[in-house]
Amino acid sequence: MCGIVGYIGKKDCVSFLIEGLKRVEYRGYDSAGIVVLDESSSSIHIKKSVGKIIDLEKKIDNRDIGNLGLAHTRWATHGEPSMENSHPHISNNKKIYLVHNGIIENYISLQKRLEAKGYKFYSETDTEILVNLIESYYTDDIELAVKKALFDVKGTYGIGVLHVDEPDKLIVARLGSPLLIGIGENENYFASDPASVISKTDDVVYLDDKEIGVIYKDRVVHKNLEDEIITKNIEKIDIDVQEIEKDGYEHFMLKEIFQQPRTLIDTMRGRIILDEGTTNLGGLRQHPQVYNALIKAEKIYIIACGTSWHSALIGEYMIEEYAKIPVEVEYASEFRYRDPIISEKTVVIAISQSGETADTLAALKEAKRKGAYTIGLCNVVGSTISKVTDAGVYLHAGPEIGVASTKAFTSQVMALALITVDIARHKDMSFREGYKIVKEMKLLPTLINSILDNSMVVKDIALKFKDAKNFLYLGRGFNFPVALEGALKLKEISYIHAEGYPAAEMKHGPIALIDKDMPVIFIAIKDAIYDKVITNMKEVKARNGVIITIASYGDEEIESISDYVIKIPDTTNLLMPILTVIPLQLLAYYIAVEKGFNVDMPRNLAKSVTVE
Ligand code: F6R
């Protein structure tokens, strides 16, 4: 979603700001803007553009220089993508410039208040209200004016503020939208994403909610909204620059699909105790109260959105079958408004790749308010969800740049399997069973490599079906959520309508859609319900449906009922989704590429959905 970058120092910062924006381009945006102030000449330069950062760059010329500045990519919420609506926004007196992520919920009442004082508004954004609210409080101290304005605000913000009469400082603040300050030598930076500052520094301070940073060239003063000075720790950014490069792959998504053998090793690293047939998750065991609550839980809710919600469904199957605890999976957006029944015996697990998803964060806060222990499964280290939960498990999958989630999904499923084994081994799971599962976990990277080695089989199928208008994805048991995930991947990046269903559910409605033009993807691996899936496949064949099957190596029977078969190796049932999803990720990728779409930045989507 929106991205923020800022700089203050002695050098011209235009190229740093643009480079910083490009580093978060993958998050999704539809307009961009930059403002720089040249302290020596007191000249200010602002440029905006609708569309891509490259279009913004084309508008910048060699007169646009400055030693402090702000830049922003905007993902439209209040008002369409336009020059007027894009950031930075300017106060009526043209002295204050503001970039903002988040949403000011009470902007209409603030707008009325400001209009009564004679303020004029030229955009449809909530951000323009905020910049003028700051102006309305300004006498001679921008820090004070920002603080006063933020007291009036309801909603979320990560902001960067520049006042032309106070060029020695930039002000930043956060409530619910990520913001960090990068520490340099005689220059400092800030951003909403560490990737934007990594080329300059790996020393950063993460702002917490209701904190303000006053950033000078040579120092940073941290305060809370009550104006008390606070001490913050400098942390190291945990990203390898190579991780945010394409590394020779055509797209980030392809790189991330092919990275999965390694990312799964990273998710498992140090967490498997083979000779005890169990797992050990430090982020849980270091919090004995939460850990014990999890083992003794009478009910677990898993809350998530999108792809993370699909891994949550797999978690439900795993935990109920092996750890024998009732699990309910909820869309985070529904959970928060639904008054769920929570007792002290309830544990809430939030799954979020980014750790910033607004719906998941709000649901989590609601669960905490009701007294549940909360556990986060996040990929982004230091993200908001990872901080507000009582305990957590990091995925360690590395930065996921492609908007369509791939490697985070398989790492989420792995993390859930690790948790399941840990709980189950405290209950009825025998050493033998635990040992079998953790041993299979270790084999997965090799098995995924064998699927990736056959990616051309999937590509050929993609070429044949790229013009299909609809797809149906069907699976059962652990592979039903994989069917949902396969359909979501296809929708997201190739804009083809696709639906996922439990295979048996097809006859209760979707079967009406089956004809020769409807490709149906079955996940039919040799497990306990294989025969039932074969029956469902025959129902499709009887109606002239075209069948593409993800099947087990050595399954000859499947060939006669399928039009196309993608063979994959077997593993134990709870880990199977990690294998069955790989061909579906590849299929969506190759179809989108064939159709000429931008797979890494699909239309309308954002990587981190920080609005409700
Ligand atoms: C799909 C996708 C989204 C996210 C969803 C939740 O490919 O990426 O559906 O899964 O927006 O995001 P996180 O996991 O960051 O909370």
Side-chain angles (χ1 to χ4, degrees):
M1 241 165 200
C2 307
I4 287 181
V5 193
Y7 173 95
I8 182 162
K10 292 185 177 146
K11 299 182 201 136
D12 175 34
C13 60
V14 171
S15 57
F16 165 73
L17 293 175
I18 294 291
E19 188 209 337
L21 287 187
K22 284 185 179 168
R23 291 280 187 203
V24 288
E25 218 176 357
Y26 71 93
R27 284 171 161 260
Y29 69 102
D30 34 49
S31 60
I34 181 170
V35 63
V36 287
L37 174 64
D38 184 13
E39 216 180 336
S40 58
S41 62
S42 295
S43 56
I44 190 119
H45 309 269
I46 180 161
K47 292 281 160 71
K48 297 181 179 189
S49 91
V50 175
K52 295 291 162 199
I53 295 169
I54 190 142
D55 302 316
L56 176 67
E57 262 182 302
K58 284 183 195 147
K59 291 186 171 177
I60 295 171
D61 58 43
N62 51 17
R63 285 164 299 177
D64 295 320
I65 51 168
N67 63 305
L68 67 156
L70 315 169
H72 189 264
T73 45
R74 172 175 186 261
W75 188 83
T77 53
H78 294 64
E80 58 173 8
S82 70
M83 296 292 279
E84 293 75 26
N85 290 337
S86 54
H87 302 213
H89 281 278
I90 315 168
S91 61
N92 276 193
N93 67 1
K94 307 233 178 313
K95 298 253 181 182
I96 306 172
Y97 292 78
L98 173 73
V99 288
H100 166 223
N101 290 352
I103 289 187
I104 310 297
E105 285 166 7
N106 58 337
Y107 78 103
I108 293 176
S109 61
L110 293 173
Q111 179 171 6
K112 283 195 183 123
R113 204 167 97 190
L114 291 168
E115 275 168 351
K117 291 184 180 172
Y119 281 90
K120 297 260 178 298
F121 296 97
Y122 305 94
S123 77
E124 298 155 89
T125 67
D126 49 342
T127 305
E128 198 190 6
I129 315 287
L130 180 56
V131 74
N132 284 299
L133 185 65
I134 296 172
E135 189 202 296
S136 74
Y137 279 120
Y138 188 82
T139 46
D140 57 359
D141 182 350
I142 185 64
E143 181 194 331
L144 187 65
V146 169
K147 265 183 250 156
K148 284 185 174 170
L150 293 181
F151 265 114
D152 292 353
V153 161
K154 285 199 181 69
T156 55
Y157 53 79
I159 56 167
V161 188
L162 177 161
H163 194 297
V164 291
D165 293 342
E166 298 186 53
D168 62 327
K169 61 175 85 90
L170 295 171
I171 311 291
V172 293
R174 95 158 250 178
L175 176 62
S177 273
L179 213 108
L180 59 97
I181 298 172
I183 311 295
E185 276 194 28
N186 287 321
E187 57 182 24
N188 288 310
Y189 330 92
F190 69 86
S192 48
D193 188 312
S196 295
V197 301
I198 187 75
S199 65
K200 292 282 186 190
T201 183
D202 58 1
D203 286 331
V204 294
V205 175
Y206 290 94
L207 256 63
D208 287 314
D209 280 350
K210 298 188 180 171
E211 286 181 2
I212 285 203
V214 186
I215 312 176
Y216 302 88
K217 292 184 188 90
D218 54 355
R219 71 203 152 95
V220 181
V221 180
H222 294 279
K223 291 188 177 175
N224 57 26
L225 279 187
E226 281 75 37
D227 205 34
E228 293 157 342
I229 297 211
I230 50 174
T231 310
K232 299 283 293 178
N233 292 332
I234 295 181
E235 298 178 40
K236 288 279 176 206
I237 299 180
D238 186 23
I239 320 177
D240 174 356
V241 179
Q242 219 183 337
E243 286 276 14
I244 49 178
E245 307 289 351
K246 279 194 198 140
D247 241 353
Y249 285 92
E250 204 181 332
H251 297 100
F252 280 109
M253 182 177 176
L254 190 63
K255 175 184 166 186
E256 286 157 9
I257 292 173
F258 274 79
Q259 268 185 322
Q260 288 174 108
R262 208 210 68 212
T263 50
L264 284 165
I265 292 174
D266 291 341
T267 308
M268 283 186 275
R269 180 166 292 117
R271 290 169 165 173
I272 289 179
I273 316 173
L274 196 58
D275 55 9
E276 289 178 26
T278 190
T279 61
N280 175 3
L281 294 143
L284 298 183
R285 293 199 186 194
Q286 280 153 19
H287 304 275
Q289 262 190 320
V290 187
Y291 185 56
N292 288 333
L294 179 65
I295 290 164
K296 296 197 180 108
E298 285 180 0
K299 168 97 180 245
I300 295 176
Y301 279 104
I302 314 183
I303 49 173
C305 306
T307 286
S308 300
W309 186 79
H310 296 154
S311 66
L313 287 177
I314 297 170
E316 176 181 14
Y317 280 71
M318 287 178 182
I319 296 171
E320 291 203 341
E321 184 167 331
Y322 290 93
K324 310 286 181 217
I325 302 174
V327 178
E328 203 166 324
V329 174
E330 288 257 3
Y331 284 115
S333 53
E334 289 298 312
F335 180 90
R336 67 177 293 202
Y337 291 116
R338 186 181 76 71
D339 207 15
I341 298 161
I342 287 176
S343 75
E344 70 281 8
K345 299 269 175 61
T346 311
V347 172
V348 174
I349 301 178
I351 307 182
S352 175
Q353 186 286 129
S354 62
E356 303 295 346
T357 301
D359 288 323
T360 312
L361 186 57
L364 199 53
K365 287 184 176 163
E366 177 65 9
K368 278 179 87 101
R369 209 182 54 74
K370 292 193 161 192
Y373 282 110
T374 56
I375 293 173
L377 258 67
C378 297
N379 192 34
V380 177
V381 176
S383 55
T384 309
I385 291 175
S386 70
K387 285 186 172 171
V388 303
T389 39
D390 301 312
V393 176
Y394 278 125
L395 304 180
H396 296 307
E400 192 178 63
I401 310 285
V403 163
S405 187
T406 52
K407 63 178 181 172
F409 174 77
T410 45
S411 284
Q412 286 166 349
V413 177
M414 175 56 85
L416 287 159
L418 291 166
I419 294 174
T420 302
V421 173
D422 192 353
I423 312 174
R425 288 284 287 122
H426 283 83
K427 300 192 161 183
D428 291 343
M429 186 183 275
S430 64
F431 164 78
R432 190 192 289 262
E433 193 170 12
Y435 180 82
K436 183 174 164 243
I437 294 173
V438 294
K439 203 156 174 267
E440 288 287 332
M441 284 176 175
K442 285 182 164 271
L443 295 176
L444 283 176
T446 312
L447 302 182
I448 294 178
N449 270 325
S450 74
I451 301 173
L452 294 171
D453 286 346
N454 273 332
S455 59
M456 285 308 128
V457 174
V458 184
K459 188 170 183 180
D460 286 346
I461 295 174
L463 295 185
K464 293 199 171 74
F465 290 95
K466 70 179 175 45
D467 295 320
K469 298 276 177 279
N470 300 286
F471 271 81
L472 208 54
Y473 287 68
L474 302 173
R476 297 186 79 155
F478 284 97
N479 286 306
F480 153 55
V482 177
L484 297 180
E485 175 60 7
L488 180 67
K489 287 287 89 87
L490 189 70
K491 274 186 265 210
E492 281 180 302
I493 59 171
S494 67
Y495 318 137
I496 295 175
H497 172 246
E499 303 248 22
Y501 274 97
E505 196 56 26
M506 177 191 64
K507 59 186 173 296
H508 298 288
I511 199 163
L513 297 168
I514 308 278
D515 64 12
K516 65 177 183 18
D517 298 320
M518 170 69 103
V520 184
I521 300 189
F522 273 96
I523 306 165
I525 43 116
K526 283 261 187 189
D527 59 11
I529 39 178
Y530 173 78
D531 291 339
K532 309 275 177 209
V533 181
I534 296 289
T535 308
N536 301 141
M537 290 173 74
K538 288 188 173 152
E539 288 159 5
V540 170
K541 218 53 240 135
R543 285 153 186 89
N544 292 324
V546 185
I547 295 182
I548 303 161
T549 311
I550 315 289
S552 303
Y553 282 150
D555 180 357
E556 306 306 334
E557 185 189 349
I558 209 89
E559 313 268 353
S560 60
I561 9 173
S562 310
D563 296 279
Y564 302 88
V565 181
I566 302 165
K567 294 269 179 79
I568 62 165
D570 272 331
T571 181
T572 189
N573 62 351
L574 85 162
L575 300 176
M576 209 58 216
I578 294 177
L579 299 183
T580 49
V581 78
I582 308 281
L584 302 185
Q585 294 171 342
L586 286 167
L587 185 69
Y589 172 78
Y590 287 125
I591 290 181
V593 170
E594 271 313 304
K595 291 176 90 73
F597 296 136
N598 184 346
V599 283
D600 283 336
M601 282 181 267
R603 70 182 180 210
N604 302 338
L605 294 182
K607 185 68 190 159
S608 161
V609 185
T610 49
V611 294
E612 230 194 288

